[in-house]
Amino acid sequence: MEQEKPIISVIVPVYNVEAWIGRCLDSILAQTYENIEVILINDASSDESGRICDHYAARDGRITVLHFSENRGPSAARNEGIRKARGAFASFIDSDDYAEPCLLEKLYDNLLENGADVSACGADGIKLKGGSPGTFSRSEAVCCLAHGVPFNHVPWGKLYTMELVKKHPFDERYFYSEDLLFLYEILKFSNRVSYLPDRLYHYVNREGSQVHSGVDERKCTALLVHDKICRDASVRFPEALAGFQQIALDTNTRLAMLAVEADMPSGVLYGYLKRLCQNTRRHFSRNALMLCQEKKVTAAALLLYAGASVFQEAARVYGQIKRWKGR
């Protein structure tokens, strides 16, 4: 008789996704790798998400639902799932995304065949360069993370040994770019990471998600994340530093544009732009600038480096031009 495969714990943070959670859970329950436990963490949703989770749990004994009484963020939700997990391996799926039925089986086989601690696959719905199948050493994997090739900066679409995840969970002090920090810490202590390019994960880019909302103090914790990673990488992985600096520049420019587009008092806006300007100057380098993939990001980074007032005025003119073209 074939030996039973180990349990994979699938951890799903849930927050106000009633229109998407059904498709997500259907894709998990349809996995060809059947020895799974599914841990759903309802992060105090105000819609029907929690009820839908309970309904699925009543239908399938592999599902456990945990309900938070107050919203604590995705890092706290995932960590609660990690604490409750019984599996030998962990995989994260976002509740508005979905997966191919063979996701877990292919990730598991890839991990075992290559003696890896982390197995990653391709995804669609997100800008991702991808690449050829490969197995990477620790330093190589960190460089891959820094350059976003071949795998991306998010925890989903991957399989991890549970021992590694339990030792290096999410840092709940950060609410934006926390995914990047989690992966950096995981890869920093992994021995081998294996990648297969099959697009087995489907990312849903929806307008109501955190990525498209305005700027607040939670999002600005990203600045601390990039400071932490760049400071550590400059010592441990200097070959990856420029890549992490480029990610910092890219994040700063996107937050700056979200701040400009948001309806906030001019004084508050200037305060956010000043902080983003200071962070840009801290991580600015010629090598990082050369790694920027989009000309508008390069231009925006240079404007932020020049100063908050310069960026604010340039954004105002840019917005006016867009309105004229739209007439």
Side-chain angles (χ1 to χ4, degrees):
M1 181 182 295
E2 183 181 356
Q3 185 177 4
E4 185 178 43
K5 291 182 178 179
I7 296 174
I8 292 178
S9 300
V10 182
I11 298 169
V12 185
V14 177
Y15 180 68
N16 288 353
V17 286
E18 61 182 5
W20 298 274
I21 184 65
R23 179 175 60 178
C24 173
L25 295 179
D26 287 340
S27 75
I28 295 173
L29 298 179
Q31 290 296 303
T32 56
Y33 190 107
E34 297 181 350
N35 196 17
I36 62 174
E37 65 169 358
V38 185
I39 305 175
L40 309 178
I41 308 92
N42 175 29
D43 194 13
S45 297
S46 58
D47 64 1
E48 292 296 307
S49 297
R51 186 190 63 78
I52 295 171
C53 289
D54 288 336
H55 174 71
Y56 271 83
R59 291 169 42 195
D60 195 309
R62 295 176 296 175
I63 298 178
T64 299
V65 185
L66 308 172
H67 295 278
F68 284 175
S69 59
E70 59 182 19
N71 182 259
R72 294 167 55 188
S75 290
R78 288 176 177 135
N79 281 346
E80 189 64 24
I82 292 169
R83 281 189 285 270
K84 299 292 184 183
R86 300 179 296 110
F89 301 94
S91 188
F92 301 98
I93 296 182
D94 282 357
S95 53
D96 47 359
D97 300 338
Y98 61 103
E100 288 296 309
C102 58
L103 169 74
L104 296 178
E105 186 168 22
K106 285 198 171 185
L107 287 176
Y108 175 76
D109 290 344
N110 182 56
L111 185 142
L112 253 61
E113 289 170 6
N114 295 288
D117 301 304
V118 182
S119 176
C121 69
D124 60 17
I126 189 172
K127 290 183 179 180
L128 181 63
K129 294 178 182 177
S132 303
T135 301
F136 307 93
S137 66
R138 178 181 303 165
S139 60
E140 290 171 339
V142 170
C143 284
C144 288
L145 179 67
H147 294 92
V149 180
F151 44 82
N152 51 33
H153 304 149
V154 290
W156 46 252
K158 299 172 180 67
L159 184 69
Y160 312 83
T161 59
M162 186 63 74
E163 181 182 11
L164 194 60
V165 170
K166 284 187 178 289
K167 284 183 179 179
H168 308 285
F170 291 82
D171 193 323
E172 297 179 26
R173 295 173 296 176
Y174 307 112
F175 296 89
Y176 202 71
S177 293
E178 78 285 355
D179 291 352
L180 178 66
L181 178 59
F182 168 76
L183 278 177
Y184 179 75
E185 292 296 325
I186 288 288
L187 298 184
K188 188 168 74 174
F189 293 100
S190 64
N191 292 313
R192 304 184 82 188
V193 177
S194 191
Y195 169 78
L196 67 157
D198 308 39
R199 294 187 175 185
L200 306 176
Y201 191 99
H202 304 289
Y203 171 75
V204 178
N205 190 3
R206 58 188 178 91
E207 287 299 320
S209 66
Q210 179 179 240
V211 174
H212 299 288
S213 58
V215 176
D216 55 23
E217 289 304 311
R218 277 191 166 194
K219 279 197 172 180
C220 284
T221 58
L223 308 187
L224 301 175
V225 167
H226 296 301
D227 287 347
K228 183 180 178 70
I229 292 175
C230 288
R231 187 165 53 247
D232 190 80
S234 67
V235 176
R236 292 176 179 264
F237 308 102
E239 66 275 18
L241 179 59
F244 288 122
Q245 289 176 325
Q246 184 274 321
I247 295 172
L249 297 183
D250 184 81
T251 301
N252 289 346
T253 59
R254 294 182 191 282
L255 288 177
M257 286 307 302
L258 285 174
V260 168
E261 293 166 0
D263 184 17
M264 63 175 66
S266 59
V268 176
L269 170 60
Y270 183 79
Y272 279 124
L273 292 180
K274 187 175 180 180
R275 289 163 65 183
L276 292 166
C277 167
Q278 292 170 343
N279 193 264
T280 295
R281 289 174 176 172
R282 189 150 54 244
H283 300 298
F284 193 91
S285 74
R286 181 175 179 273
N287 289 338
L289 202 64
M290 289 177 64
L291 290 174
C292 290
Q293 299 297 312
E294 302 176 49
K295 291 182 180 179
K296 63 181 180 181
V297 173
T298 302
L302 289 169
L303 289 169
L304 266 181
Y305 183 87
S309 299
V310 174
F311 184 91
Q312 190 170 1
E313 179 60 21
R316 185 191 67 79
V317 173
Y318 176 72
Q320 186 63 54
I321 292 173
K322 284 183 68 176
R323 286 190 291 272
W324 286 340
K325 287 185 176 181
R327 290 178 179 176

